[in-house]
Amino acid sequence: MVDQERYDLYRAESKVLAAIGEHVDAQVGPVTVRLPRAVAEAAVAAWERDDPDDELGEETHEQYALRGQAGDLALIGLAISDDGRWEGEEVVVDLHVHAAGAAWLQAAEVGRVGRS
């Protein structure tokens, strides 16, 4: 049996996290980043890809996370497509803090940046 009191506490804490998110949103604007052409083009390709509309069925936690990461990449591709400014072999684009954070979290997860 699941410890319902623990999940009630988690639910209450998720509301605090959402309150913090409101304050973050009010204080943090878009993050301007420079991306090399290869990763920018891969992000745009993720946005332009047409995935089938069929149901995937039950997903493992890993599959769910991978699909979410692919969605985050596609949203970065959308931002590049709509507002990116190409400067030679780089694109300059303003990303929502969520997209920038999702990319940073994935880089930290695979050990490409520190978690400081």
Side-chain angles (χ1 to χ4, degrees), residues 27-81:
Q27 297 175 51
V28 176
V31 177
T32 302
V33 298
R34 289 182 163 278
L35 301 172
R37 179 174 293 276
V39 296
E41 288 175 344
V44 171
W47 168 248
E48 293 175 345
R49 181 183 65 243
D50 283 327
D51 286 340
D53 290 333
D54 57 338
E55 286 292 320
L56 295 174
E58 191 171 329
E59 293 178 303
T60 66
H61 178 71
E62 179 185 14
Q63 290 168 327
Y64 176 82
L66 287 171
R67 187 168 50 84
Q69 291 160 3
D72 289 335
L73 176 63
L75 290 176
I76 291 171
L78 171 61
I80 293 168
S81 293

